[in-house]
Amino acid sequence: MTTVNIQAVGIYLGTQKGQSPLPVEIGAGQTLKDAFDLIQANPGAYDANLSAFSYTPDPNGLMTLSATYKASIQSRSGRTSPAGTYSISEFHLAAPLSGQTVWQYYVFDSTGTRKPVSGETPFSDYEPADGDLVIFRNVAILTGPTAQFIKT
């Protein structure tokens, strides 16, 4: 068995104050998608406050990550947010920006050293090693310069 530790920033999955990343045991040759399937099938086994977890894949990776909490949650900075569903999807940025948001993941080995993973590797193809920490983040990627607004 391989234990992979999962965090998803922004939806508080494995990132709440005082919480460790969610340890998910997968079999040899299984991928991050398999780890997500396990969390989705039994969310309370990974976080007692987690009543639902879902994801929507797309051909190049992820489209949406969602987590539903039964009780309020607290960010690592101490901000408390109410119970409910926290969901983030990829989307195209509105003018004057040109680009889109995308889900990216970063992998660290058991010593905390970042492991190189090609940005072209879908999460459904990545086979983590035992003890890896995988952090998912939704980030904005600009495809053109940022418009400048100058008052004269």
Side-chain angles (χ1 to χ4, degrees):
M1 294 299 279
T2 297
T3 300
V4 59
N5 301 289
I6 305 280
Q7 291 181 324
V9 177
I11 63 167
Y12 303 99
L13 192 72
T15 64
Q16 297 173 54
K17 188 170 189 167
Q19 184 183 43
S20 297
L22 303 185
V24 181
E25 293 210 6
I26 58 176
Q30 290 192 303
T31 69
L32 293 173
K33 179 190 178 307
D34 296 306
F36 274 5
D37 288 344
L38 289 169
I39 299 169
Q40 184 170 307
N42 193 5
Y46 300 95
D47 177 343
N49 192 22
L50 189 63
S51 63
F53 170 77
S54 64
Y55 68 97
T56 306
D58 74 12
N60 298 315
L62 286 171
M63 181 58 75
T64 302
L65 284 178
S66 297
T68 302
Y69 298 96
K70 297 182 262 187
S72 63
I73 53 179
Q74 191 174 41
S75 71
R76 288 194 173 158
S77 66
R79 186 186 71 247
T80 299
S81 297
T85 300
Y86 292 78
S87 182
I88 299 177
S89 296
E90 292 184 349
F91 62 91
H92 290 279
L93 299 172
L97 299 175
S98 174
Q100 68 183 57
T101 67
V102 297
W103 279 103
Q104 292 183 339
Y105 66 92
Y106 307 92
V107 180
F108 299 85
D109 68 18
S110 60
T111 68
T113 301
R114 186 162 173 193
K115 297 171 79 171
V117 177
S118 167
E120 303 299 317
T121 305
F123 83 108
S124 57
D125 292 343
Y126 186 77
E127 297 177 21
D130 191 44
D132 278 357
L133 166 64
V134 182
I135 301 172
F136 288 84
R137 292 180 169 274
N138 190 275
V139 298
I141 306 293
L142 298 178
T143 57
T146 304
Q148 300 293 313
F149 298 95
I150 301 173
K151 290 186 176 186
T152 56

